[in-house]
């Protein structure tokens, strides 16, 4: 008697895909709560007052990077799955590891916390709109409904961020301890979600890998990360420290948000495999740049945060 493994395998795939969605949500909530525990009332007030700095953040992350991604994808002719994946990460700012990267360079990591938190809050509104805009611009028909993602993003990003901030304000000791556990949980669940992307659609992952190597897309992704670092450096402000912070902040795209959109809006596009590939390239290139700047620290007194609002 020949066993039919088709139905059990299909059932397992459905379970894993559902688990992937849960893991992405858990990672987002844990990441944002941990970030909130590092914010203070002073950080919030300062971010509101420094409107010129905020405008530079917005321009670099929400205009320059998405436009460059659209142009780059068209010029080099990226495969559809990689192109959609690149666009999704391009419109999703505020990677949770930005403060750690900035800390590696011995710059002001608290400025990076403010940068990441501010960008993430803005992203709740801009990400759905920008996704719809860039897909329409490159004439990709997906039936994407941007407002369907607005409420979930507010719940998953803003509410946990505020909850972490309240915990920091009322119980700073407990907030510091919780931040370590939440960061570990966010990293583990994101890694598990990325692993499931490969396991569930191994054939798609192989196709993406083949496209990365065979078409030179791997080099394109690396150049994209370097270009976003350049955008952040050029728009970062009047001091070297400002420029280093925004350079790493612009290069760090939020993989969790991109995966959340890809899973909900483009389940059959293999975009999540492209996002997984980009995540590896982004982390590798960003770490190399942070390591280089660590080996070449700024002179004492150079790049103080007093010039941030200029």
């Amino acid at each position: 008697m020949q066993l039919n493994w088709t139905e059990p395998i299909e059932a397992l795939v459905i379970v894993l895909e559902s688990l992937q969605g849960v893991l992405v949500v858990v990672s987002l909530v844990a990441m944002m709560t941990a970030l909130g525990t590092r914010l203070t009332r002073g950080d919030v007030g300062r971010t509101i007052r420094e409107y010129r700095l905020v405008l530079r953040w917005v321009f670099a992350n929400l205009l320059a990077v998405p436009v460059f991604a659209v142009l780059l994808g068209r010029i080099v002719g990226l495969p559809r799955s990689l192109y959609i994946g690149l666009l999704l990460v391009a419109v999703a700012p505020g990677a949770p590891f930005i403060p750690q990267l900035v800390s590696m360079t011995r710059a002001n990591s608290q400025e990076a916390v403010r940068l990441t938190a501010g960008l993430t809050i803005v992203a709740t509104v801009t990400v759905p709109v920008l996704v719809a805009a860039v897909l329409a611009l490159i004439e990709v028909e997906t039936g994407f409904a941007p407002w369907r993602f607005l409420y979930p993003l507010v719940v998953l990003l803003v509410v946990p961020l505020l909850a972490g901030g309240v915990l920091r304000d009322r119980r700073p000791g407990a907030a510091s301890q919780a931040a370590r556990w939440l960061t570990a949980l966010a990293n583990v669940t994101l890694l598990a979600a990325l692993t499931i992307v490969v396991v569930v659609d191994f054939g798609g992952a192989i196709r993406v890998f083949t496209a990365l190597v065979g078409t030179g897309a791997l080099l394109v992704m690396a150049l994209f990360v370097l270009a976003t670092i350049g955008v952040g450096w050029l728009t970062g402000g009047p001091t070297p420290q400002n420029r280093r912070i925004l350079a790493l902040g612009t290069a760090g795209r939020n993989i969790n948000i991109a995966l959340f959109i890809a899973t909900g809006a483009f389940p059959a596009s293999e975009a999540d495999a492209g996002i997984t590939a980009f995540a590896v390239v982004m982390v590798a290139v960003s770490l190399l740049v942070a390591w280089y700047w660590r080996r070449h620290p700024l002179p004492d007194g150079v790049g103080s945060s007093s010039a941030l609002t200029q």
Side-chain angles (χ1 to χ4, degrees):
M1 180 178 177
Q2 186 176 4
L3 295 177
N4 184 3
W5 293 98
T6 303
E7 292 185 2
I9 291 177
E10 290 178 349
L12 178 61
V13 168
I14 292 174
V15 171
L16 288 176
E17 288 176 342
S18 300
L19 178 60
Q20 176 195 345
V22 172
L23 290 171
V24 170
V25 169
V26 171
S27 181
L28 271 173
V29 172
M31 172 190 72
M32 294 311 303
T33 308
L35 184 63
T37 60
R38 298 187 62 181
L39 287 172
T40 65
R41 293 186 181 183
D43 290 326
V44 176
R46 185 175 179 182
T47 301
I48 294 173
R49 291 192 303 271
E50 295 176 348
Y51 63 92
R52 293 181 181 176
L53 174 63
V54 174
L55 289 176
R56 285 198 292 269
W57 294 352
V58 171
F59 172 80
N61 282 275
L62 302 179
L63 180 61
V65 172
V67 168
F68 180 72
V70 171
L71 295 176
L72 182 65
R74 282 194 166 183
I75 291 172
V76 302
L78 285 176
R80 176 187 169 89
S81 60
L82 291 178
Y83 196 11
I84 294 178
L86 179 64
L87 293 175
L88 290 179
V89 296
V91 300
F97 59 81
I98 292 172
Q100 285 74 24
L101 284 177
V102 171
S103 180
M104 282 181 59
T105 69
R106 299 170 184 171
N108 189 341
S109 62
Q110 194 60 31
E111 295 294 340
V113 171
R114 296 199 303 123
L115 167 66
T116 307
L119 288 175
T120 305
I121 291 175
V122 174
T124 59
V125 176
T126 61
V127 167
V129 175
L130 286 174
V131 170
V134 296
L135 291 179
L137 183 64
I138 64 174
E139 299 178 349
V140 173
E141 296 182 3
T142 61
F144 177 73
W147 303 115
R148 185 165 62 90
F149 288 87
L150 180 59
Y151 176 74
L153 285 175
V154 171
V155 173
L156 296 177
L157 299 179
V158 178
V159 173
L161 182 68
L162 294 177
V166 171
L167 180 62
R168 166 68 182 264
D169 188 55
R170 297 184 177 181
R171 300 284 299 276
S176 298
Q177 185 175 5
R180 291 192 292 271
W181 288 99
L182 289 168
T183 301
L185 176 62
N187 292 335
V188 169
T189 49
L190 176 60
L191 180 60
L194 294 174
T195 302
I196 290 176
V197 169
V198 178
V199 172
V200 168
D201 189 8
F202 187 74
I206 293 297
R207 286 192 296 273
V208 169
F209 176 78
T210 302
L212 283 170
V213 177
T215 65
L218 189 64
L219 177 60
V220 171
M221 286 187 173
L223 290 175
F224 176 79
V225 178
L226 289 173
T228 57
I229 290 174
V231 168
W233 176 267
L234 291 174
T235 59
T239 70
Q241 176 172 265
N242 300 160
R243 293 192 287 271
R244 288 188 175 187
I245 291 173
L246 190 57
L248 292 173
T250 305
R253 316 313 291 174
N254 198 315
I255 300 301
N256 305 66
I257 296 177
L259 274 179
F260 180 73
I261 298 293
T263 302
F266 313 105
S269 67
E270 297 180 358
D272 50 1
I275 293 171
T276 302
F278 179 84
V280 175
V281 175
M282 176 187 66
V283 171
V285 174
S286 298
L287 281 173
L288 286 174
V289 172
W291 175 81
Y292 176 81
W293 279 339
R294 182 178 180 85
R295 296 291 300 272
H296 297 80
L298 297 172
D300 291 340
V302 174
S304 66
S305 59
S306 60
L308 280 171
T309 58
Q310 297 180 13

